[in-house]
Amino acid sequence: MPDSPQRAWRRWLVTFSILLLSMPGLDGINTPSRIIFQGVSTVLLGAWLVSLLIQGRGLPATRLDRPLGLFLLAAAMSTAFAVDPRTSLEGLWRFAFDVLFFYFAVDWMRRYGSRMLIEPFLFIAALMLVLDGTYLVLWYFGWPEFILPVAGWF
């Protein structure tokens, strides 16, 4: 039996949100935006993990389980012996987020098919192209950039 349109829309929105939050560079160097990014993305992936626990399922098994586990172990050890553990802990959070996002992608592709993950990703890519094209036109004609807050790369 197919899902109702509301359930499909909710799943698409959750996938879109997690994909958008997983894009590199959104956490940036600005501390308030990084805190918001980390909080929202942690809540979304945490909700997914809680739903796995409620359903009585674990993380999906893949051939990359051991290498990812060793990678996280090495990152945790480097955090434990770091000169600045606070900064290193933030890097460890990003590594753990990426690994959990990988498992999220595997789980959702196995449960709902690849379309549920690829459509929001392509939508985000199209959105980025439109925004970047708008910025290019604004820059070329010397018009003020008013669509998004201006932030430098460095």
Side-chain angles (χ1 to χ4, degrees), residues 105-127:
V106 169
D107 181 48
W108 277 49
M109 287 179 73
R110 287 181 181 171
R111 286 174 58 191
Y112 305 114
S114 59
R115 183 175 181 174
M116 183 55 64
L117 205 60
I118 291 174
E119 275 183 358
F121 182 74
L122 292 176
F123 182 77
I124 292 170
L127 182 67

Side-chain angles (χ1 to χ4, degrees), residues 48-49 51-53 55-61 103 107 110-111:
W48 170 70
L49 287 173
S51 75
L52 286 181
L53 286 173
Q55 296 170 1
R57 299 181 317 127
L59 292 175
Y103 283 114
D107 181 48
R110 287 181 181 171
R111 286 174 58 191

Side-chain angles (χ1 to χ4, degrees), residues 5-154:
Q6 290 84 13
R7 287 184 61 118
W9 173 250
R10 261 185 282 159
R11 259 199 321 269
W12 195 90
L13 188 61
V14 167
T15 307
F16 174 79
S17 301
I18 291 177
L19 282 171
L20 183 64
L21 288 171
S22 69
M23 294 289 181
L26 285 182
D27 52 351
I29 58 172
N30 187 3
T31 303
S33 68
R34 187 171 56 230
I35 291 171
I36 292 169
F37 165 79
Q38 289 176 347
V40 171
S41 58
T42 302
V43 166
L44 284 173
L45 278 180
W48 170 70
L49 287 173
V50 168
S51 75
L52 286 181
L53 286 173
I54 290 172
Q55 296 170 1
R57 299 181 317 127
L59 292 175
T62 67
R63 291 183 179 202
L64 294 176
D65 289 345
R66 286 189 182 140
L68 288 174
L70 289 174
F71 169 71
L72 284 179
L73 179 66
M77 287 176 55
S78 70
T79 297
F81 298 114
V83 175
D84 185 8
R86 188 200 64 80
T87 306
S88 186
L89 187 62
E90 194 170 347
L92 176 65
W93 175 89
R94 182 64 196 193
F95 292 145
F97 175 82
D98 290 340
V99 169
L100 276 179
F101 179 75
F102 167 75
Y103 283 114
F104 166 79
V106 169
D107 181 48
W108 277 49
M109 287 179 73
R110 287 181 181 171
R111 286 174 58 191
Y112 305 114
S114 59
R115 183 175 181 174
M116 183 55 64
L117 205 60
I118 291 174
E119 275 183 358
F121 182 74
L122 292 176
F123 182 77
I124 292 170
L127 182 67
M128 298 299 267
L129 286 174
V130 168
L131 289 176
D132 286 344
T134 304
Y135 267 112
L136 180 65
V137 168
L138 291 174
W139 166 80
Y140 185 76
F141 290 111
W143 297 334
E145 297 175 353
F146 59 87
I147 294 176
L148 295 173
V150 178
W153 287 99
F154 301 104

